[in-house]
Structure formats: structure tokens, C-alpha cells
PDB file of all heavy atoms in Angstrom:
ATOM      1  N   LEU A 152     -22.771 -45.998  19.356  1.00 93.00           N
ATOM      2  CA  LEU A 152     -23.899 -45.104  19.111  1.00 93.00           C
ATOM      3  C   LEU A 152     -25.190 -45.581  19.769  1.00 93.00           C
ATOM      4  O   LEU A 152     -26.095 -44.783  19.995  1.00 93.00           O
ATOM      5  CB  LEU A 152     -24.121 -44.921  17.611  1.00 93.00           C
ATOM      6  CG  LEU A 152     -23.216 -43.894  16.933  1.00 93.00           C
ATOM      7  CD1 LEU A 152     -23.469 -43.876  15.429  1.00 93.00           C
ATOM      8  CD2 LEU A 152     -23.447 -42.498  17.509  1.00 93.00           C
ATOM      9  N   ASP A 153     -25.280 -46.874  20.067  1.00 95.00           N
ATOM     10  CA  ASP A 153     -26.459 -47.369  20.779  1.00 95.00           C
ATOM     11  C   ASP A 153     -26.530 -46.789  22.189  1.00 95.00           C
ATOM     12  O   ASP A 153     -27.612 -46.710  22.784  1.00 95.00           O
ATOM     13  CB  ASP A 153     -26.426 -48.897  20.879  1.00 95.00           C
ATOM     14  CG  ASP A 153     -26.727 -49.573  19.555  1.00 95.00           C
ATOM     15  OD1 ASP A 153     -26.989 -48.865  18.565  1.00 95.00           O
ATOM     16  OD2 ASP A 153     -26.680 -50.812  19.498  1.00 95.00           O
ATOM     17  N   VAL A 154     -25.383 -46.403  22.727  1.00 96.00           N
ATOM     18  CA  VAL A 154     -25.328 -45.779  24.049  1.00 96.00           C
ATOM     19  C   VAL A 154     -25.329 -44.267  23.923  1.00 96.00           C
ATOM     20  O   VAL A 154     -26.153 -43.571  24.531  1.00 96.00           O
ATOM     21  CB  VAL A 154     -24.075 -46.237  24.827  1.00 96.00           C
ATOM     22  CG1 VAL A 154     -24.030 -45.574  26.203  1.00 96.00           C
ATOM     23  CG2 VAL A 154     -24.043 -47.751  24.964  1.00 96.00           C
ATOM     24  N   THR A 155     -24.412 -43.736  23.122  1.00 95.00           N
ATOM     25  CA  THR A 155     -24.220 -42.283  23.089  1.00 95.00           C
ATOM     26  C   THR A 155     -25.333 -41.560  22.341  1.00 95.00           C
ATOM     27  O   THR A 155     -25.622 -40.392  22.639  1.00 95.00           O
ATOM     28  CB  THR A 155     -22.867 -41.931  22.467  1.00 95.00           C
ATOM     29  OG1 THR A 155     -22.784 -42.492  21.141  1.00 95.00           O
ATOM     30  CG2 THR A 155     -21.725 -42.479  23.318  1.00 95.00           C
ATOM     31  N   GLY A 156     -25.974 -42.224  21.354  1.00 94.00           N
ATOM     32  CA  GLY A 156     -27.084 -41.577  20.646  1.00 94.00           C
ATOM     33  C   GLY A 156     -28.239 -41.257  21.587  1.00 94.00           C
ATOM     34  O   GLY A 156     -28.610 -40.086  21.742  1.00 94.00           O
ATOM     35  N   PRO A 157     -28.832 -42.275  22.248  1.00 95.00           N
ATOM     36  CA  PRO A 157     -29.880 -41.976  23.224  1.00 95.00           C
ATOM     37  C   PRO A 157     -29.395 -41.085  24.362  1.00 95.00           C
ATOM     38  O   PRO A 157     -30.128 -40.193  24.810  1.00 95.00           O
ATOM     39  CB  PRO A 157     -30.279 -43.361  23.737  1.00 95.00           C
ATOM     40  CG  PRO A 157     -29.963 -44.280  22.606  1.00 95.00           C
ATOM     41  CD  PRO A 157     -28.713 -43.728  22.000  1.00 95.00           C
ATOM     42  N   ALA A 158     -28.155 -41.295  24.839  1.00 96.00           N
ATOM     43  CA  ALA A 158     -27.646 -40.466  25.935  1.00 96.00           C
ATOM     44  C   ALA A 158     -27.633 -38.995  25.546  1.00 96.00           C
ATOM     45  O   ALA A 158     -27.957 -38.118  26.361  1.00 96.00           O
ATOM     46  CB  ALA A 158     -26.240 -40.923  26.327  1.00 96.00           C
ATOM     47  N   ALA A 159     -27.261 -38.702  24.293  1.00 95.00           N
ATOM     48  CA  ALA A 159     -27.240 -37.313  23.833  1.00 95.00           C
ATOM     49  C   ALA A 159     -28.636 -36.704  23.833  1.00 95.00           C
ATOM     50  O   ALA A 159     -28.816 -35.526  24.175  1.00 95.00           O
ATOM     51  CB  ALA A 159     -26.618 -37.238  22.439  1.00 95.00           C
ATOM     52  N   VAL A 160     -29.635 -37.498  23.467  1.00 94.00           N
ATOM     53  CA  VAL A 160     -31.020 -37.001  23.467  1.00 94.00           C
ATOM     54  C   VAL A 160     -31.474 -36.679  24.883  1.00 94.00           C
ATOM     55  O   VAL A 160     -32.008 -35.594  25.154  1.00 94.00           O
ATOM     56  CB  VAL A 160     -31.966 -38.037  22.823  1.00 94.00           C
ATOM     57  CG1 VAL A 160     -33.427 -37.626  23.014  1.00 94.00           C
ATOM     58  CG2 VAL A 160     -31.650 -38.191  21.334  1.00 94.00           C
ATOM     59  N   PHE A 161     -31.247 -37.606  25.815  1.00 96.00           N
ATOM     60  CA  PHE A 161     -31.693 -37.369  27.186  1.00 96.00           C
ATOM     61  C   PHE A 161     -30.877 -36.248  27.840  1.00 96.00           C
ATOM     62  O   PHE A 161     -31.413 -35.471  28.639  1.00 96.00           O
ATOM     63  CB  PHE A 161     -31.597 -38.666  27.993  1.00 96.00           C
ATOM     64  CG  PHE A 161     -32.455 -39.774  27.449  1.00 96.00           C
ATOM     65  CD1 PHE A 161     -31.906 -40.995  27.094  1.00 96.00           C
ATOM     66  CD2 PHE A 161     -33.819 -39.595  27.274  1.00 96.00           C
ATOM     67  CE1 PHE A 161     -32.681 -42.018  26.577  1.00 96.00           C
ATOM     68  CE2 PHE A 161     -34.612 -40.610  26.749  1.00 96.00           C
ATOM     69  CZ  PHE A 161     -34.038 -41.816  26.401  1.00 96.00           C
ATOM     70  N   GLY A 162     -29.600 -36.162  27.490  1.00 95.00           N
ATOM     71  CA  GLY A 162     -28.796 -35.057  28.003  1.00 95.00           C
ATOM     72  C   GLY A 162     -29.289 -33.722  27.486  1.00 95.00           C
ATOM     73  O   GLY A 162     -29.322 -32.727  28.227  1.00 95.00           O
ATOM     74  N   ALA A 163     -29.688 -33.670  26.207  1.00 94.00           N
ATOM     75  CA  ALA A 163     -30.237 -32.434  25.650  1.00 94.00           C
ATOM     76  C   ALA A 163     -31.546 -32.053  26.337  1.00 94.00           C
ATOM     77  O   ALA A 163     -31.825 -30.863  26.540  1.00 94.00           O
ATOM     78  CB  ALA A 163     -30.452 -32.600  24.147  1.00 94.00           C
ATOM     79  N   ALA A 164     -32.341 -33.055  26.707  1.00 94.00           N
ATOM     80  CA  ALA A 164     -33.582 -32.773  27.436  1.00 94.00           C
ATOM     81  C   ALA A 164     -33.264 -32.137  28.786  1.00 94.00           C
ATOM     82  O   ALA A 164     -33.943 -31.197  29.220  1.00 94.00           O
ATOM     83  CB  ALA A 164     -34.394 -34.056  27.622  1.00 94.00           C
ATOM     84  N   ASN A 165     -32.230 -32.633  29.467  1.00 95.00           N
ATOM     85  CA  ASN A 165     -31.826 -32.039  30.743  1.00 95.00           C
ATOM     86  C   ASN A 165     -31.391 -30.589  30.568  1.00 95.00           C
ATOM     87  O   ASN A 165     -31.706 -29.716  31.389  1.00 95.00           O
ATOM     88  CB  ASN A 165     -30.693 -32.849  31.372  1.00 95.00           C
ATOM     89  CG  ASN A 165     -31.176 -34.120  32.038  1.00 95.00           C
ATOM     90  OD1 ASN A 165     -32.363 -34.273  32.329  1.00 95.00           O
ATOM     91  ND2 ASN A 165     -30.264 -35.048  32.284  1.00 95.00           N
ATOM     92  N   GLU A 166     -30.653 -30.319  29.487  1.00 93.00           N
ATOM     93  CA  GLU A 166     -30.171 -28.963  29.252  1.00 93.00           C
ATOM     94  C   GLU A 166     -31.301 -28.000  28.908  1.00 93.00           C
ATOM     95  O   GLU A 166     -31.196 -26.796  29.157  1.00 93.00           O
ATOM     96  CB  GLU A 166     -29.143 -28.969  28.122  1.00 93.00           C
ATOM     97  CG  GLU A 166     -27.838 -29.669  28.478  1.00 93.00           C
ATOM     98  CD  GLU A 166     -26.859 -29.688  27.319  1.00 93.00           C
ATOM     99  OE1 GLU A 166     -27.253 -29.280  26.198  1.00 93.00           O
ATOM    100  OE2 GLU A 166     -25.703 -30.097  27.526  1.00 93.00           O
ATOM    101  N   ALA A 167     -32.364 -28.526  28.345  1.00 91.00           N
ATOM    102  CA  ALA A 167     -33.455 -27.669  27.885  1.00 91.00           C
ATOM    103  C   ALA A 167     -34.517 -27.407  28.946  1.00 91.00           C
ATOM    104  O   ALA A 167     -35.421 -26.600  28.730  1.00 91.00           O
ATOM    105  CB  ALA A 167     -34.114 -28.300  26.661  1.00 91.00           C
ATOM    106  N   THR A 168     -34.429 -28.079  30.081  1.00 89.00           N
ATOM    107  CA  THR A 168     -35.426 -27.915  31.138  1.00 89.00           C
ATOM    108  C   THR A 168     -34.832 -27.143  32.312  1.00 89.00           C
ATOM    109  O   THR A 168     -33.617 -27.051  32.464  1.00 89.00           O
ATOM    110  CB  THR A 168     -35.940 -29.284  31.613  1.00 89.00           C
ATOM    111  OG1 THR A 168     -34.825 -30.136  31.918  1.00 89.00           O
ATOM    112  CG2 THR A 168     -36.773 -29.957  30.529  1.00 89.00           C
ATOM    113  N   ASP A 169     -35.703 -26.578  33.134  1.00 85.00           N
ATOM    114  CA  ASP A 169     -35.253 -25.765  34.268  1.00 85.00           C
ATOM    115  C   ASP A 169     -34.430 -26.581  35.248  1.00 85.00           C
ATOM    116  O   ASP A 169     -33.500 -26.078  35.874  1.00 85.00           O
ATOM    117  CB  ASP A 169     -36.465 -25.160  34.986  1.00 85.00           C
ATOM    118  CG  ASP A 169     -37.197 -24.143  34.109  1.00 85.00           C
ATOM    119  OD1 ASP A 169     -36.542 -23.566  33.226  1.00 85.00           O
ATOM    120  OD2 ASP A 169     -38.410 -23.955  34.308  1.00 85.00           O
ATOM    121  N   ARG A 170     -34.781 -27.840  35.401  1.00 89.00           N
ATOM    122  CA  ARG A 170     -34.007 -28.735  36.263  1.00 89.00           C
ATOM    123  C   ARG A 170     -33.891 -30.058  35.530  1.00 89.00           C
ATOM    124  O   ARG A 170     -34.721 -30.375  34.658  1.00 89.00           O
ATOM    125  CB  ARG A 170     -34.695 -28.938  37.619  1.00 89.00           C
ATOM    126  CG  ARG A 170     -36.077 -29.526  37.526  1.00 89.00           C
ATOM    127  CD  ARG A 170     -36.741 -29.685  38.888  1.00 89.00           C
ATOM    128  NE  ARG A 170     -38.047 -30.316  38.764  1.00 89.00           N
ATOM    129  CZ  ARG A 170     -38.268 -31.606  38.594  1.00 89.00           C
ATOM    130  NH1 ARG A 170     -37.252 -32.429  38.525  1.00 89.00           N
ATOM    131  NH2 ARG A 170     -39.490 -32.080  38.496  1.00 89.00           N
ATOM    132  N   PRO A 171     -32.869 -30.848  35.823  1.00 92.00           N
ATOM    133  CA  PRO A 171     -32.688 -32.111  35.098  1.00 92.00           C
ATOM    134  C   PRO A 171     -33.920 -33.010  35.179  1.00 92.00           C
ATOM    135  O   PRO A 171     -34.435 -33.276  36.267  1.00 92.00           O
ATOM    136  CB  PRO A 171     -31.491 -32.749  35.794  1.00 92.00           C
ATOM    137  CG  PRO A 171     -30.733 -31.597  36.370  1.00 92.00           C
ATOM    138  CD  PRO A 171     -31.786 -30.606  36.787  1.00 92.00           C
ATOM    139  N   ALA A 172     -34.383 -33.429  34.022  1.00 95.00           N
ATOM    140  CA  ALA A 172     -35.525 -34.345  33.977  1.00 95.00           C
ATOM    141  C   ALA A 172     -35.085 -35.787  34.179  1.00 95.00           C
ATOM    142  O   ALA A 172     -35.863 -36.618  34.648  1.00 95.00           O
ATOM    143  CB  ALA A 172     -36.247 -34.202  32.646  1.00 95.00           C
ATOM    144  N   TYR A 173     -33.822 -36.088  33.815  1.00 96.00           N
ATOM    145  CA  TYR A 173     -33.338 -37.461  33.854  1.00 96.00           C
ATOM    146  C   TYR A 173     -32.078 -37.569  34.712  1.00 96.00           C
ATOM    147  O   TYR A 173     -31.159 -36.747  34.603  1.00 96.00           O
ATOM    148  CB  TYR A 173     -33.007 -37.959  32.443  1.00 96.00           C
ATOM    149  CG  TYR A 173     -34.199 -38.007  31.518  1.00 96.00           C
ATOM    150  CD1 TYR A 173     -34.392 -37.036  30.543  1.00 96.00           C
ATOM    151  CD2 TYR A 173     -35.149 -39.022  31.633  1.00 96.00           C
ATOM    152  CE1 TYR A 173     -35.483 -37.070  29.697  1.00 96.00           C
ATOM    153  CE2 TYR A 173     -36.249 -39.072  30.791  1.00 96.00           C
ATOM    154  CZ  TYR A 173     -36.417 -38.090  29.821  1.00 96.00           C
ATOM    155  OH  TYR A 173     -37.513 -38.134  28.995  1.00 96.00           O
ATOM    156  N   ASP A 174     -32.056 -38.585  35.556  1.00 96.00           N
ATOM    157  CA  ASP A 174     -30.837 -39.008  36.234  1.00 96.00           C
ATOM    158  C   ASP A 174     -30.240 -40.080  35.335  1.00 96.00           C
ATOM    159  O   ASP A 174     -30.593 -41.254  35.411  1.00 96.00           O
ATOM    160  CB  ASP A 174     -31.181 -39.562  37.619  1.00 96.00           C
ATOM    161  CG  ASP A 174     -29.973 -40.154  38.336  1.00 96.00           C
ATOM    162  OD1 ASP A 174     -28.846 -40.027  37.819  1.00 96.00           O
ATOM    163  OD2 ASP A 174     -30.157 -40.749  39.406  1.00 96.00           O
ATOM    164  N   LEU A 175     -29.350 -39.669  34.443  1.00 96.00           N
ATOM    165  CA  LEU A 175     -28.869 -40.510  33.366  1.00 96.00           C
ATOM    166  C   LEU A 175     -27.578 -41.218  33.772  1.00 96.00           C
ATOM    167  O   LEU A 175     -26.613 -40.573  34.169  1.00 96.00           O
ATOM    168  CB  LEU A 175     -28.631 -39.647  32.120  1.00 96.00           C
ATOM    169  CG  LEU A 175     -28.121 -40.331  30.863  1.00 96.00           C
ATOM    170  CD1 LEU A 175     -29.119 -41.375  30.378  1.00 96.00           C
ATOM    171  CD2 LEU A 175     -27.877 -39.284  29.782  1.00 96.00           C
ATOM    172  N   ARG A 176     -27.571 -42.543  33.646  1.00 97.00           N
ATOM    173  CA  ARG A 176     -26.400 -43.317  34.035  1.00 97.00           C
ATOM    174  C   ARG A 176     -26.091 -44.378  32.987  1.00 97.00           C
ATOM    175  O   ARG A 176     -26.987 -45.049  32.481  1.00 97.00           O
ATOM    176  CB  ARG A 176     -26.625 -44.036  35.381  1.00 97.00           C
ATOM    177  CG  ARG A 176     -27.069 -43.126  36.520  1.00 97.00           C
ATOM    178  CD  ARG A 176     -27.288 -43.921  37.797  1.00 97.00           C
ATOM    179  NE  ARG A 176     -27.864 -43.084  38.849  1.00 97.00           N
ATOM    180  CZ  ARG A 176     -28.096 -43.500  40.088  1.00 97.00           C
ATOM    181  NH1 ARG A 176     -27.789 -44.762  40.430  1.00 97.00           N
ATOM    182  NH2 ARG A 176     -28.625 -42.689  40.982  1.00 97.00           N
ATOM    183  N   ILE A 177     -24.803 -44.515  32.681  1.00 97.00           N
ATOM    184  CA  ILE A 177     -24.330 -45.651  31.897  1.00 97.00           C
ATOM    185  C   ILE A 177     -23.893 -46.711  32.900  1.00 97.00           C
ATOM    186  O   ILE A 177     -23.077 -46.434  33.786  1.00 97.00           O
ATOM    187  CB  ILE A 177     -23.159 -45.255  30.979  1.00 97.00           C
ATOM    188  CG1 ILE A 177     -23.623 -44.203  29.964  1.00 97.00           C
ATOM    189  CG2 ILE A 177     -22.603 -46.480  30.257  1.00 97.00           C
ATOM    190  CD1 ILE A 177     -22.506 -43.637  29.115  1.00 97.00           C
TER     191      ILE A 177
END
């Protein structure tokens, strides 16, 4: 959850914006 919890938040931010705000990488 230390990885997937924050990842879910940043992924949701990408989905909610017109273009991806974050280049998210594990």
C-alpha cells in the first residue's frame, strides 16, 4: 500500500485532467 496507495492518487489525477499531469513510474 505504500506504493499502490500514492500511485492510485496520482493515477486518479491523470484521469481527471485533460492530459496526464504525472509521468508515474514504479
Side-chain angles (χ1 to χ4, degrees):
L152 278 176
D153 287 358
V154 180
T155 57
V160 171
F161 299 123
N165 282 342
E166 292 178 353
T168 51
D169 293 334
R170 59 181 183 78
Y173 297 103
D174 174 7
L175 180 61
R176 306 179 187 184
I177 297 174

